[in-house]
């Protein structure tokens, strides 16, 4: 009997990646807020420097995750189209691996991963994106709490 759960797993990965994209949007908004708050502080305070470093670092991480998530979103969408109808998930994954290897984006050790492993990777990417967003907003909250009044 053919396993018909592949399209649902692909849809789950696409949903997780969409959520990750929202998390990164929130992180980037927080990076802007952190920069705006830091700009209003008197110069040369240690708190301002730490805020700028934390905000810049997590902003760079957010941009990296935004790129990774968008690439994976498109790859899972293409995989979904490839297996739509009577297409085999295994054939779609093999074609995806060939394309990624031809582009130099994966090596031989990554080829042949199962759909479940790829979905777990998408979930891990989303978790990392949410963590970046949480860190970014914690930095903003701390900045607001210690910002000079007046």
């Amino acid at each position: 009997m053919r396993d018909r759960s592949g399209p649902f797993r692909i849809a789950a990965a696409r949903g997780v990646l969409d959520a990750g994209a929202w998390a990164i949007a929130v992180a980037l908004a927080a990076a802007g807020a952190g920069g705006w708050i830091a700009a209003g502080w008197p110069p040369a305070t240690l708190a301002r420097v730490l805020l700028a470093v934390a905000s810049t670092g997590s902003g760079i991480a957010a941009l990296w995750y935004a790129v990774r998530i968008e690439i994976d979103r498109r790859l899972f969408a293409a995989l979904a189209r490839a297996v739509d109808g009577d297409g085999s998930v295994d054939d779609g994954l093999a074609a995806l691996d060939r394309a990624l290897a031809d582009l130099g984006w994966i090596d031989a050790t990554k080829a042949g991963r199962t759909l479940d492993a790829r979905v777990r990777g998408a979930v891990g990417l989303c978790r990392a994106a949410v963590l970046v967003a949480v860190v970014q907003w914690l930095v903003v909250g701390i900045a607001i709490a210690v910002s000079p009044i007046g």
Side-chain angles (χ1 to χ4, degrees):
M1 178 177 197
R2 184 176 155 218
D3 181 10
R4 298 188 184 275
S5 66
F8 297 103
R9 289 187 225 157
I10 293 168
R14 292 178 72 190
V16 165
L17 291 167
D18 287 346
W22 279 103
I24 290 303
V26 167
L28 291 172
W36 178 73
I37 291 167
W41 286 358
T45 65
L46 178 60
R48 182 179 181 180
V49 170
L50 290 176
L51 173 63
V53 168
S55 190
T56 301
S58 58
I60 290 168
L63 287 173
W64 170 249
Y65 284 117
V67 169
R68 286 287 317 276
I69 285 171
E70 186 57 29
I71 290 169
D72 282 5
R73 286 173 70 190
R74 289 173 188 243
L75 290 174
F76 272 103
L79 181 60
R81 286 189 301 274
V83 301
D84 194 23
D86 290 333
S88 164
V89 172
D90 291 335
D91 291 344
L93 291 174
L96 174 60
D97 284 343
R98 275 192 309 277
L100 293 175
D102 289 347
L103 292 169
W105 290 5
I106 64 169
D107 57 20
T109 61
K110 290 275 189 169
R113 289 180 300 145
T114 65
L115 179 58
D116 290 342
R118 293 165 202 256
V119 172
R120 282 191 300 275
V123 170
L125 197 57
C126 181
R127 284 184 182 141
V130 169
L131 180 62
V132 167
V134 167
V135 166
Q136 190 63 272
W137 279 105
L138 283 174
V139 168
V140 169
I142 292 167
I144 290 170
V146 300
S147 65
I149 300 174

